Amino acid sequence: MKALVASDLAILGGPPAFDEPLHVGRPNIGDRRMFLGLIEDMLDRRWLTNNGPYVARFEAQVAEYLGVRHCIAMCNGTVALEIAIRALELKGEVIVPSFTFIATAHALQWQEITPVFCDIDPQTHTIDPDRVEELITPRTSGIIGVHLWGHPCAVRRLDEITRRRRLTLMYDASHAFGCRVGGIKVGNFGRAEVFSFHATKFMNCLEGGAVVTNDDALARKIRLMKNFGFSGYDNVVYIGTNGKMNEASAAMGLTNLASIDAFIAANRRNQHHYATGLAGLPGVRLMPCDPRETVNAQYVVAEIDARECPLGRDEVLAALHAENVLARRYFWPGCHRMEPYRSYFPHASLMLPRTEEVAGRVLVLPNGSSIGPDEIGIICAIVRSALGQADLVRGALTRKAA
Ligand code: T4K
C-alpha cells in the first residue's frame, strides 16, 4: 500500500478515508435467511417469550457447545450477572478488577455489595492473582474474575485461592464465548460463568446473556429467579425478577451459533492483517491472539506506549476518528474512576497502578465479520502515516482544541 502523505490525512485537511463510520462492535450476523425463517415461524406460532421453544433449543446448543451441564438464557449479560451473584449469595465485599465494563461492578453495587477493585496483570489485562489475597477481609464473600477480551483469567490460581480462603468464585465471561483454557471451554470454571450476547459481542442475540454452570442445584435456583421465582402456575418460591430471553433473541442466537466457525475464521484473518499492518511501529503493541487459548479473537487490542510512540493513545484515536474509524479506548478510565466508585474510593488509583497504565494505553480497533483486509490495510496505513507525521498531527490537534 502506498504511503499516505500529509494532505491525505483527514486530520490535516484531506477527506476522511471512509465515507461511513467504521465502528468497533459492528455485529457479527449469520445467515439472514435462517434468521428470517425462524422469525416467520415464531410469528406463525404466536409464542414470543416465556420459555419458548427457541430459547430451549438455544440453551441446549450453548450447553453442548461449551461442554457444560446447564445454560440458562437471559435478557442481557447485566441481569445474568445480577442473578448469578444473588443465587450464589454473595454479600459484603466482592473482589473484582476495575479494568472491565462498568456492568461488572454495577451488578454488585446494585445489590449493595461493595466491589473491591483489584489490579490486573499487564500482560493479560485480567485480575492479578498475586494481588487478590491482600484484599481479602472478614467481609469478603467472593471473587468475580473477568475474562477480558476473551483472554481467560488465571483460573487455576484463583480456584486454589478461593478454595483455601473459603470464598465463592464466579466469572464474567461476557467476552469469552468459545474461548478455552487448556482445551476446556470457558463456561466450566468457578461456580458459574456469565456470558453477554449483546449485539456487539462475538456471539450475539441482539440483546441477551446467559448463566452457565455445572451445579444442578444452582441451575434450578437461577431458573426460578429469572422467572419471578415461579415454580409452576400460582406458586412462587423465591424472590425473583424478569430475566427471560425472548424468542426473537434466541432465533438470532441459533442463527449465529450456526456461523460461529466463520466468525472465528474472519476474526483470526483480521487479527493477522492487523499484526502485519502495524508491525514495527515504535510503541505500538498488538495484544497477541494465542489460538491455543483464545479462539474467538473478537477484540483487536492495541497498546500505544507514549514513552516510545511519537503520538499518545488519544492522539492516535483522534487521527482515526477524523478518518471515520471509530476506534474505542475501552475500558478507560477504569470503574474506580467512575461514579459512584470514585466518590466511594477516592484513593483507589494508588492501589491500581497497572490498571491505570493499561487503561491509558489501550485502543480497540474495528473487527468482526463485517470488515476485511482492505479496510484493515487502510486503518493500518492511517496509523502508520499519523505516526510518521506526528508533529503535523499534534499541531492540527492543538489548533482544533484552541
Ligand atoms: N461485562 C462485560 C465485561 C461487558 O463487556 C459487558 C458488556 C457486560 C458485562 C454487560 O453485558 P450486557 O448487559 O451489555 O449484555 C457496549 C455494549 O453495549 C456492552 O454490551 C458491552 N459490554 C460494551 C463493551 O460495549 P457501549 O457503551 O460501548 O455501547 P455503544 O452504544 O457505544 O456501542 C458500541 C459500539 O458498537 C459502537 O461503536 C457502535 C457499535 N454498534 C452498536 C450496536 C448496539 C453497532 O455497530 N451496531 C449495534 O447494533 O457498550
Side-chain angles (χ1 to χ4, degrees):
M1 173 144 335
K2 85 177 174 51
L4 298 182
V5 294
S7 56
D8 292 331
L9 279 181
I11 206 156
L12 300 173
F18 295 97
D19 294 336
E20 298 290 328
L22 205 57
H23 289 281
V24 166
R26 255 188 178 179
N28 291 328
I29 299 177
D31 182 346
R32 255 168 220 245
R33 286 212 184 139
M34 176 176 173
F35 177 63
L36 295 174
L38 289 169
I39 294 294
E40 291 278 5
D41 287 351
M42 177 193 82
L43 296 176
D44 289 344
R45 267 189 283 107
R46 291 177 187 268
W47 195 274
L48 307 184
T49 184
N50 287 16
N51 299 319
Y54 289 163
V55 167
R57 209 196 301 173
F58 178 67
E59 290 182 337
Q61 287 190 16
V62 167
E64 192 189 343
Y65 180 75
L66 300 177
V68 57
R69 287 175 67 80
H70 304 281
C71 166
I72 304 109
M74 305 254 180
C75 53
N76 60 56
T78 306
V79 167
L81 277 170
E82 287 166 7
I83 291 178
I85 287 164
R86 196 161 186 129
L88 285 167
E89 296 174 12
L90 294 179
K91 55 186 186 305
E93 295 174 358
V94 171
I95 298 170
V96 287
S98 171
F99 195 55
T100 177
F101 190 58
I102 197 70
T104 321
H106 278 356
L108 290 163
Q109 191 65 51
W110 192 255
Q111 312 188 63
E112 300 192 4
I113 300 166
T114 305
V116 173
F117 295 122
C118 183
D119 215 355
I120 51 167
D121 174 338
Q123 293 304 314
T124 62
H125 298 185
T126 59
I127 194 165
D128 183 349
D130 288 335
R131 298 270 76 82
V132 163
E133 290 205 66
E134 64 206 33
L135 300 173
I136 297 174
T137 74
R139 295 191 71 228
T140 308
S141 59
I143 298 175
I144 303 181
V146 181
H147 306 302
L148 207 78
W149 320 129
H151 293 274
C153 295
V155 290
R156 291 192 183 85
R157 292 278 315 279
L158 292 172
D159 187 56
E160 186 278 315
I161 293 168
T162 46
R163 275 177 202 279
R164 185 161 41 77
R165 305 296 295 261
R166 297 179 187 280
L167 299 172
T168 299
L169 177 62
M170 64 169 272
Y171 289 101
D172 178 342
S174 292
H175 298 181
F177 192 79
C179 299
R180 288 170 297 183
V181 183
I184 300 172
K185 289 236 174 79
V186 165
N188 288 279
F189 301 101
R191 295 278 311 281
E193 302 211 53
V194 172
F195 291 102
S196 164
F197 300 130
H198 181 261
T200 56
K201 293 295 184 295
F202 168 66
M203 226 298 296
N204 88 81
C205 293
L206 310 171
E207 287 265 10
V211 183
V212 302
T213 179
N214 287 313
D215 179 328
D216 298 348
L218 182 67
R220 265 196 306 280
K221 189 173 175 185
I222 289 173
R223 252 183 214 296
L224 292 169
M225 283 182 152
K226 67 114 203 234
N227 187 27
F228 313 101
F230 270 111
S231 156
Y233 289 123
D234 312 323
N235 185 28
V236 171
V237 293
Y238 276 121
I239 181 166
T241 185
N242 183 354
K244 290 171 276 119
M245 177 180 275
N246 69 64
E247 287 287 276
S249 286
M252 188 63 164
L254 289 167
T255 305
N256 288 333
L257 273 176
S259 289
I260 222 154
D261 290 342
F263 297 158
I264 292 173
N267 282 349
R268 287 227 184 120
R269 174 203 64 200
N270 291 349
Q271 292 270 2
H272 169 76
H273 284 283
Y274 273 115
T276 311
L278 298 175
L281 289 176
V284 178
R285 170 184 176 261
L286 206 58
M287 254 187 118
C289 175
D290 182 346
R292 287 165 308 172
E293 301 254 303
T294 306
V295 295
N296 79 27
Q298 176 75 2
Y299 287 93
V300 177
V301 181
E303 289 185 59
I304 314 288
D305 187 339
R307 290 166 304 188
E308 298 165 36
C309 184
L311 291 174
R313 187 270 310 270
D314 291 355
E315 292 165 328
V316 177
L317 180 79
L320 285 167
H321 277 212
E323 304 286 354
N324 250 337
V325 179
L326 302 190
R328 296 290 295 258
R329 46 186 181 179
Y330 286 138
F331 288 102
W332 184 85
C335 297
H336 66 289
R337 285 187 177 270
M338 294 181 174
E339 292 296 354
Y341 314 107
R342 76 172 161 218
S343 296
Y344 291 169
F345 317 113
H347 306 298
S349 56
L350 297 174
M351 297 288 286
L352 301 167
R354 302 281 175 254
T355 301
E356 295 264 308
E357 277 166 32
V358 170
R361 288 203 297 252
V362 162
L363 192 60
V364 177
L365 298 167
N367 196 16
S369 58
S370 69
I371 71 162
D374 291 348
E375 288 93 344
I376 293 167
I378 295 169
I379 294 169
C380 295
I382 295 165
V383 174
R384 202 167 272 281
S385 175
L387 298 191
Q389 306 170 83
D391 289 342
L392 289 176
V393 168
R394 192 168 293 121
L397 284 170
T398 311
R399 280 193 299 282
K400 232 172 142 188

